[in-house]
Every structure is written in structure tokens, then in C-alpha cells.
Amino acid sequence: MSRAVRFEKYGDVDVLKVEDVEAPQPAADQILVEVVAAGINPGEISVRVGAYHDMWPATFPSGQGSDFAGRVVEVGPSVTEFAVGDEVVGWSDWRSSQAEYVVVPADHLTKKPAALDWMRAGSLFVAGVTAYVAVRAVQPAEGETVVVSGAAGGVGVTAAQLARNTGAKVLGIASERNAAWLRSVGVTPIAYGDGLEDRIRKAAPDGVDAFVDTYGNGYVDLALALNVDKARINTIADFAAVQKYGVKSDGSSVGSDNEILAIVANEIAWGRVSMPIAAIYPLEAVREAYTELGERHTRGKIVLSMELPPDAGRQGAA
């Protein structure tokens, strides 16, 4: 048996349950992984409340989650890239990672770098590959200025640092309380709220070359007001703006690639990118984890740990 998150109808966090289910079995080209940690993401909230029903309808009872890291416990007979005992980072396309065991194809995994801790590894896929492809989409270069909205969020912290690593000046839109942290990783903090456009213009007197929107809520309009070329605006959150203006929308669906996952894993493992962990919850506290995530005030990622006791409660930032 395996403990796993399930929900049987659309709704708020109260529909989430942790239930005993049959442990999955790998097919010939699949791998069974014992999960150590699994990340949670805002898109999963949208799926659970039914906001994506027309595009990606849930089949009930539904599992939940994409990100995970763990240890290989069984491999299908046609798998040659991995062996029992390997420590891996990966993703599930079947809303199934928030569980003690998950089955995925071999090409949905990469080896976990030894220097990468379990909590960051388990929350890496969606935020990491989304940040990578979002930055790649706007092609920042040395000496340019790039703005990242939601720069303290799960995707934004990584996107801002990846853009910084190109040699660009990065302006990170976030709350005042995240300003010191953004400065510590080489990002210029810009407080959101009234007067934002003026603050950006003051910080970038020669103009803004590219804009990565990880938050939505009108930031594409702001980028256009700043005279950023539509070809160098990427949003992962404002799909109406994509339709209206023709800006880019590269996200995790474009970056679902284990080679990209390996690149981001190594960037974090070797300290070239910092990924803050806002909180760690036991699997049984999945409702509390999503409640905190839904407030949209966390810095970095929230993670579910399969190794914490069920009654452990919230663990602090790491």
C-alpha cells in the first residue's frame, strides 16, 4: 500500500484527503520511485478548484502533484539508465507525485546531484524548468536590463537568478520584506504597488530590454507600457494577455525535459542559484500546505515530506 493525496470533486482544500491506495507497478519502460519529498505549485490549486476543467479535466478520484525526488525501488525490464537505489529528481504527468510511491517513464527522471538536498530536489521540476524556459524565451544578455515579476515566488526566485547569471541587470518585483534577500542574490528589488512603473523607470533609466512575468495581474500591460518588445515578454500566468497581445508563454510544458531538469538541478546543487524553502509539511498536512501557498506571500517553495511524522506540523524555512 501507499499513502497518497486524493480528491473526489472540485473544491477548496477541504476536498483533499490522504488515503491508502495500492502501490503503483512499473511497466516495461517505467520506474517505481519511493518518494522522499514532493513540491506543491499554484497550478495545482487551479486544477483542484476546476479552473482548468475545459483544458485539463480531472478524472475522479484524482491524485495530485508533479514534482518529486526519491529513491528508485524497481525498474521495468527495458530500463537501462537507472538502477535500484539511485537517487533521482523527476516529474509525473499523471498528477501522482504527492504520494509515498510514484511510477514514471525513465525519461521523466534525472540523477540527483549529491550536493542537492532532498527538499529542494523534491520541489524542483515545475518551478525550475518553468524559470529556465521563461528566461530562455526572452534571451537576456550581458549589459541588458530584465524585469521579473513575482521575483520572490517559487518560479520567480529561480528566474531572477538565471537571468542574473547571463550578466543582465535584473529588477525583481516583490514585497518590501523580500528586498534584502533579493539584494543578497544580486537582484535589484522593486516594491510592487502604486507607482511601480515610475520606480522601474528610475531604476532602469536606459529602458527595460526584457520582462518575465511569473505572477499575472496586469504585468504584461506594464511591460508594454515600458516599451518592451512583445517578442521579449514572457508570461506564465496571464494567458488572456498572450491571446490579446501575442507575447510569449513558455512554461513547464515547453521545458518538460530531463536535460533541462538536470541543468537546473546542478545550478542549485553547486550554489549558482539559491532556492529558498519557505516551509516543509508532512504529507498528512497537505491542506495546510496549500492554504499557505494560496496566500501567495511565500518566498520560494513549499514542500511535502514523506519522512516527517504525520503529526509533525509545519517546519520552518530552510
Side-chain angles (χ1 to χ4, degrees):
M1 300 296 288
S2 170
R3 293 181 301 153
V5 174
R6 289 286 185 271
F7 63 102
E8 297 181 354
K9 62 181 180 180
Y10 293 128
D12 62 18
V13 294
D14 291 341
V15 303
L16 295 176
K17 301 176 182 178
V18 177
E19 299 180 338
D20 289 331
V21 299
E22 291 293 330
Q25 299 298 312
D29 63 345
Q30 295 177 337
I31 294 174
L32 177 65
V33 178
E34 183 179 16
V35 178
V36 175
I40 68 173
N41 297 285
E44 291 148 12
I45 297 176
S46 298
V47 169
R48 189 193 70 233
V49 300
Y52 291 159
H53 177 77
D54 291 341
M55 293 183 290
W56 304 301
T59 300
F60 300 116
S62 176
Q64 194 169 243
S66 300
D67 305 345
F68 69 89
R71 302 178 181 89
V72 173
V73 293
E74 186 177 348
V75 299
S78 66
V79 173
T80 58
E81 308 96 315
F82 297 92
V84 172
D86 284 348
E87 296 182 345
V88 293
V89 184
W91 77 95
S92 167
D93 290 331
W94 302 318
R95 300 175 185 168
S96 60
S97 70
Q98 293 168 16
E100 290 180 315
Y101 293 92
V102 63
V103 158
V104 294
D107 64 2
H108 282 41
L109 297 173
T110 189
K111 299 285 183 66
K112 183 180 80 69
L116 181 61
D117 67 275
W118 284 114
M119 296 303 108
R120 286 168 178 79
S123 59
L124 182 58
F125 170 70
V126 169
V129 303
T130 300
Y132 182 92
V133 298
V135 171
R136 183 180 65 183
V138 303
Q139 299 181 321
E142 186 171 359
E144 292 188 327
T145 298
V146 181
V147 175
V148 178
S149 69
V155 175
V157 292
T158 303
Q161 293 174 82
L162 290 172
R164 174 211 62 196
N165 288 352
T166 69
K169 176 182 179 179
V170 179
L171 309 182
I173 300 171
S175 66
E176 291 277 10
R177 69 185 182 87
N178 289 303
W181 187 88
L182 288 170
R183 290 191 191 96
S184 76
V185 295
V187 174
T188 300
I190 305 292
Y192 65 76
D194 292 343
L196 174 59
E197 182 178 340
D198 290 339
R199 288 191 290 277
I200 292 175
R201 290 186 183 279
K202 183 177 180 179
D206 296 326
V208 173
D209 299 287
F211 201 111
V212 177
D213 171 33
T214 74
Y215 194 86
N217 197 32
Y219 281 119
V220 171
D221 293 284
L222 172 62
L224 293 169
L226 292 165
N227 298 314
V228 181
D229 187 328
K230 287 189 288 187
R232 301 194 70 189
I233 300 171
N234 193 85
T235 179
I236 64 166
D238 192 346
F239 301 115
V242 174
Q243 294 296 318
K244 183 176 181 181
Y245 300 120
V247 299
K248 294 181 176 178
S249 59
D250 288 4
S252 61
S253 61
V254 176
S256 295
D257 182 299
N258 59 4
E259 293 184 2
I260 292 177
L261 181 58
I263 290 169
V264 179
N266 278 292
E267 289 294 289
I268 295 170
W270 301 113
R272 293 184 286 267
V273 169
S274 297
M275 176 184 276
I277 299 298
I280 305 166
Y281 287 87
L283 183 66
E284 282 76 9
V286 63
R287 293 180 180 179
E288 291 86 345
Y290 274 102
T291 297
E292 179 173 350
L293 180 67
E295 295 170 354
R296 302 191 77 174
H297 294 303
T298 56
R299 180 192 305 152
K301 295 291 295 181
I302 297 175
V303 195
L304 300 174
S305 169
M306 309 308 146
E307 297 186 334
L308 281 176
D311 59 353
R314 183 187 190 276
Q315 307 296 298

